[in-house]
Amino acid sequence: MSVRSALLSILTLGPCYGLQLAGEFERRTGGAEPLRDAQVYTTLDRLERDGAVRALAKDDSGRVRYELTREGRREAERWLASPVAAEASGARDELALKLTLAATLPGADLAGVMAAQREAARAALEALAGAEPDDALDRVVLARRRTALEAELDWLDEASRILAHVSPFPLAPPPKRGRKARHAE
Amino acid sequence: MSVRSALLSILTLGPCYGLQLAGEFERRTGGAEPLRDAQVYTTLDRLERDGAVRALAKDDSGRVRYELTREGRREAERWLASPVAAEASGARDELALKLTLAATLPGADLAGVMAAQREAARAALEALAGAEPDDALDRVVLARRRTALEAELDWLDEASRILAHVSPFPLAPPPKRGRKARHAE
DNA sequence: ACAGCCATGTAACTTGTTACATGATTTT
DNA sequence: AAAATCATGTAACAAGTTACATGGCTGT
């Protein structure tokens, strides 16, 4: 819901049209996360469907502007005020997933997986170090990535220590049940 | 694609049926991320559609087991071997998004947003500190969350310093264009 | 026989993404 | 007039989630 909420909160400043929202999004987020034009429009459609915004008559230039409804304003305020739930963002932690699987699957190359991940994080950190931020917003976004990558490296070390004592294990034998193999197809 | 890839990599151990996959997923990931039964089946359908798995005849208990195709095995190996792209996981960094927006939107309560986020992270850390891990996998997953939360707190401090010198700004005036307000509807 | 779990599925939905189509306006 | 850009949209898809339906098996 990030994009949806971001567009809503920009609209608290006043009515905007589609590409204007895309532009403001870029200006106000350090340009870190490119937003596809198409997504602005689909998101606006969905916001209108949900009663959070309302389309105004086309302006002098034929652009369609949207304004917040009371509902939409409330949603925007709620979003800004509430903290981002740790990893409740619907995104599974793919890295932890991959590492625990690599540790428990016989035949998987745990050391190799860890080495690859460490190397990727190290390279990403190096690339970040060489980046010149344009402005303060950029600095904040870069700092976010840097701290996340550093944490990833720390965690990899810790995980390495913990997993040193873990052995992979095979599939658990499935419980036997009645032998009623329905001859379906 | 986390779930898809995880199921594929479990299937490298041999054919499994739906709920068996769900069980192995739990056993092998620290139980951190609950996997809904329904998603196992929809994912298996899509994997079959994509030619990554193949359904076997029902076994003695009438359960439908799936096995990897050559394609599926290759996909699983590729996934395990390749590092997780930093934030390329499709998940936007909602926290950085929210903070930069709060910093640039006139009328937003930046200090309040930061305080709320800091408090939420602190509380989550405290909850983690009081958790007793069952096994090593659990410890690895908990460590992942802990390091991520610590990094979040560090970043919040840094962002606070950087954003102290940033002032919110209004909407950029949209460029004027021809006055051809097509009287469409 | 009945309750409850095991196992499989389906339909509808969400956010996000891609590729494409269309016109209008500005620039050359 | 042609080319590039602005602006809006549509259609289709992906991954994930939810709620629900169904039937077989198990234990009492």
Side-chain angles (χ1 to χ4, degrees):
Chain A
M1 312 258 305
S2 306
V3 172
R4 173 187 174 112
S5 307
L7 295 190
L8 273 184
S9 61
I10 292 173
L11 281 169
T12 59
L13 300 185
C16 295
Y17 65 94
L19 289 194
Q20 185 183 10
L21 279 170
E24 293 289 339
F25 182 91
E26 284 267 319
R27 280 212 304 155
R28 308 183 105 93
T29 55
E33 329 219 25
L35 178 59
R36 312 284 195 280
D37 293 350
Q39 194 175 344
V40 176
Y41 295 108
T42 54
T43 302
L44 281 171
D45 285 345
R46 290 158 187 175
L47 284 170
E48 191 174 22
R49 175 200 61 188
D50 298 342
V53 305
R54 169 192 320 125
L56 301 176
K58 296 195 176 185
D59 70 1
D60 289 355
S61 308
R63 301 185 273 213
V64 185
R65 293 193 307 162
Y66 290 84
E67 71 174 357
L68 288 182
T69 62
R70 270 193 300 276
E71 262 299 305
R73 189 168 296 271
R74 277 227 306 278
E75 185 178 335
E77 281 158 6
R78 233 180 302 137
W79 180 69
L80 270 179
S82 59
V84 176
E87 86 172 274
S89 41
R92 289 172 188 280
D93 187 342
E94 187 168 354
L95 185 47
L97 210 62
K98 188 177 290 199
L99 212 71
T100 51
L101 281 170
T104 61
L105 291 173
D109 176 16
L110 174 59
V113 170
M114 295 198 60
Q117 191 65 41
R118 226 185 301 248
E119 170 54 20
R122 201 201 50 70
L125 260 183
E126 196 166 338
L128 278 187
E132 279 288 337
D134 313 322
D135 56 9
L137 293 181
D138 219 12
R139 286 231 302 285
V140 170
V141 172
L142 289 181
R144 172 71 166 149
R145 286 203 235 183
R146 199 195 66 242
T147 52
L149 285 169
E150 288 167 349
E152 189 176 308
L153 287 175
D154 287 349
W155 173 73
L156 282 169
D157 287 342
E158 194 170 342
S160 168
R161 283 194 297 275
I162 300 174
L163 293 176
H165 313 293
V166 173
S167 306
F169 46 84
L171 289 176
K176 282 243 172 11
R177 305 191 64 194
R179 52 201 59 245
K180 281 290 189 50
R182 290 256 148 273
H183 45 309
E185 67 273 14
Chain B
M1 313 261 303
S2 306
V3 172
R4 173 185 173 112
S5 308
L7 295 190
L8 273 186
S9 61
I10 292 173
L11 282 169
T12 59
L13 300 187
C16 294
Y17 64 93
L19 290 195
Q20 186 182 10
L21 279 170
E24 293 290 337
F25 182 91
E26 284 268 319
R27 281 212 303 155
R28 309 183 106 93
T29 56
E33 328 219 26
L35 178 60
R36 311 285 194 280
D37 292 351
Q39 194 175 344
V40 175
Y41 295 109
T42 54
T43 302
L44 282 172
D45 284 345
R46 289 159 187 173
L47 284 171
E48 191 174 22
R49 175 200 61 190
D50 299 342
V53 305
R54 168 191 321 124
L56 301 176
K58 297 197 175 181
D59 68 2
D60 288 355
S61 308
R63 301 184 274 213
V64 185
R65 293 192 306 162
Y66 291 84
E67 70 173 357
L68 288 183
T69 62
R70 269 191 300 276
E71 262 299 305
R73 189 167 296 270
R74 277 227 305 278
E75 184 178 335
E77 280 158 7
R78 233 180 302 138
W79 180 69
L80 270 178
S82 60
V84 176
E87 86 173 273
S89 41
R92 289 172 189 282
D93 187 342
E94 187 168 355
L95 186 48
L97 210 62
K98 186 176 290 198
L99 211 72
T100 51
L101 281 170
T104 60
L105 292 173
D109 177 16
L110 174 59
V113 169
M114 295 197 61
Q117 192 64 43
R118 227 186 301 248
E119 170 54 21
R122 202 202 49 72
L125 260 183
E126 197 165 338
L128 277 188
E132 279 288 338
D134 313 322
D135 55 10
L137 293 180
D138 219 12
R139 287 230 302 285
V140 170
V141 171
L142 289 180
R144 172 71 166 148
R145 286 204 236 184
R146 198 195 67 242
T147 52
L149 284 169
E150 288 167 351
E152 187 176 311
L153 286 175
D154 287 349
W155 172 74
L156 281 169
D157 288 342
E158 194 169 342
S160 168
R161 284 194 298 274
I162 299 174
L163 294 176
H165 313 291
V166 173
S167 306
F169 46 86
L171 289 177
K176 283 244 174 8
R177 305 190 63 196
R179 50 201 62 248
K180 280 290 189 48
R182 292 254 149 273
H183 46 309
E185 67 274 8

